[in-house]
Amino acid sequence: MPRAIWSGAISFGLVTVPIQVVSATEDHSIRFHQYHVTDQGRVRYRKVCELEDREVSQEEIGKGYELTATQVIPITDEDLSNLPLPTAKAIEIDAFVPLESVDPIRIAEGYYLQPAGQVAAKPYKLLVKALSRSSKVAVAKYAWSGRERLGLLRVRDDVLVLHAMRWPDEIRDPTELLPPPTEVSEAEIDSALALMDTMTTDSLEGPDFTDRYTEAIAQLIEAKREAKPLPEAPEPEQPAQVLDLMAALQESVQKAKASRAEGTGPAEVHELPAEVHELPPPKKTAAKKEPAKKAAVKKTDAKKTAGRRPRSA
């Protein structure tokens, strides 16, 4: 586990649980530096004072709010730590709600909350048990990184998890993105549900849920390091213009069935409604060849698989 990024307490009525905050996620992205193309010299960003036209060290740099072009209000770390907010020192639980009542678009990065010492063990476990038995999540407020935030507390494997949440006014209204008025038939909806059934899985683990982009970058770097031919990109599939939505759904179901048969084993498949079976059958070549191509890609990726401080809340 990485080191704690914040220490404080959970305030639950008159119960206080001392905790430490640890990032719950990792970033395995391959990162690049910038180099001068002609001589491969490292290109870096330097912090320069505009008035003195010289580079300044980190010790000389402070925060400030630009009131006008010529007036800056300096703000120190001590100023921020002494804000008159109860949430500056604690994660204050305000309410408990069913998880399904929280729109996932409001949920951001997650952090594990670790009990800080033996004194926190019992109230920590009490909150874990109470949340688990209630089947609810806690909504809390806390202040990190210069602002007060809304958070969601839940239990994962008997450990408390804090998810940063966006305030309601931070969510944009999507109504302007709605498509033009159109109608879909019940048969088309049933066909889409049948396709969803063929693609249903019990776990988001396994070869279908790996970062193939990072793997491809690792293969590219390895090929260049050993002066070998670069890996060839697969031919991109050309999306066909959907003239018959029902026929496209039927063909998609057949492809999904074949893919499951060649992959992890048989899946529970619901038959398409009778209206769909009356349509002309899809081209057999497309339905058979496509899954085989995907399976080959997965095998190659499996052989060549290669192995941050979290963002502030």
Side-chain angles (χ1 to χ4, degrees), residues 209-236:
F209 301 100
T210 58
D211 182 1
R212 291 186 294 177
Y213 182 85
T214 298
E215 292 174 359
I217 292 291
Q219 293 171 19
L220 174 64
I221 292 172
E222 184 65 14
K224 288 203 166 194
R225 185 179 73 86
E226 297 184 358
K228 292 182 177 179
L230 301 184
E232 295 184 4
E235 286 294 326

Side-chain angles (χ1 to χ4, degrees), residues 278-291:
E278 295 171 0
L279 293 168
K283 295 180 180 179
K284 294 183 179 179
T285 54
K288 291 182 179 179
K289 288 183 178 179
E290 184 59 24

Side-chain angles (χ1 to χ4, degrees), residues 9-286:
I10 301 172
S11 175
F12 173 33
L14 297 178
V15 178
T16 299
V17 188
I19 51 95
Q20 293 181 323
V21 178
V22 176
S23 178
T25 59
E26 296 178 319
D27 186 352
H28 294 159
S29 301
I30 295 176
R31 303 192 179 279
F32 302 107
H33 295 304
Q34 291 188 325
Y35 285 87
H36 188 198
V37 175
T38 57
D39 57 16
Q40 292 194 335
R42 181 76 180 273
V43 176
R44 300 179 185 271
Y45 293 101
R46 303 186 185 278
K47 297 178 179 179
V48 175
C49 173
E50 294 180 349
L51 296 180
E52 298 182 18
D53 193 24
R54 69 174 180 87
E55 184 178 354
V56 293
S57 64
Q58 187 61 41
E59 291 73 23
E60 298 177 86
I61 300 174
K63 301 182 185 73
Y65 177 78
E66 187 175 290
L67 192 62
T68 67
T70 59
Q71 185 179 8
V72 176
I73 307 298
I75 302 294
T76 67
D77 291 337
E78 185 179 1
D79 293 333
L80 295 175
S81 63
N82 291 324
L83 286 174
L85 287 173
T87 52
K89 303 292 184 181
I91 299 170
E92 286 209 331
I93 296 178
D94 283 348
F96 294 88
V97 298
L99 178 58
E100 57 270 20
S101 69
V102 181
D103 189 334
I105 199 171
R106 295 184 61 181
I107 302 176
E109 58 274 356
Y111 303 88
Y112 289 136
L113 304 184
Q114 177 184 21
Q118 184 60 37
V119 69
K122 187 169 183 176
Y124 184 94
K125 189 169 185 178
L126 172 65
L127 184 54
V128 167
K129 293 295 184 183
L131 276 174
S132 299
R133 191 168 299 181
S134 71
S135 300
K136 294 179 181 178
V137 295
V139 177
K141 292 176 185 173
Y142 63 96
W144 291 354
S145 304
R147 61 171 299 188
E148 188 174 59
R149 291 183 177 271
L150 202 60
L152 181 148
L153 276 170
R154 67 180 182 92
V155 177
R156 183 177 191 268
D157 297 333
D158 291 332
V159 174
L160 291 175
V161 181
L162 171 68
H163 288 279
M165 288 182 65
R166 297 173 179 87
W167 296 98
D169 62 356
E170 293 179 313
I171 306 300
R172 293 172 176 164
D173 185 355
T175 53
E176 63 184 48
L177 306 178
L178 291 173
T182 187
E183 296 294 334
V184 292
S185 67
E186 287 298 320
E188 289 169 334
I189 296 174
D190 289 341
S191 301
L193 290 172
L195 175 57
M196 290 170 62
D197 284 338
T198 65
M199 300 173 67
T200 297
T201 181
D202 294 328
S203 173
L204 298 181
E205 304 289 342
D208 285 338
F209 301 100
T210 58
D211 182 1
R212 291 186 294 177
Y213 182 85
T214 298
E215 292 174 359
I217 292 291
Q219 293 171 19
L220 174 64
I221 292 172
E222 184 65 14
K224 288 203 166 194
R225 185 179 73 86
E226 297 184 358
K228 292 182 177 179
L230 301 184
E232 295 184 4
E235 286 294 326
E237 296 182 9
Q238 297 297 327
Q241 185 176 3
V242 179
L243 300 178
D244 190 329
L245 182 58
M246 295 284 280
L249 286 167
Q250 183 185 21
E251 183 171 350
S252 298
V253 170
Q254 299 304 323
K255 286 184 178 182
K257 286 181 183 179
S259 180
R260 284 298 179 89
E262 294 182 5
T264 57
E268 181 181 353
V269 176
H270 295 268
E271 293 298 325
L272 287 171
E275 293 89 341
V276 178
H277 287 293
E278 295 171 0
L279 293 168
K283 295 180 180 179
K284 294 183 179 179
T285 54

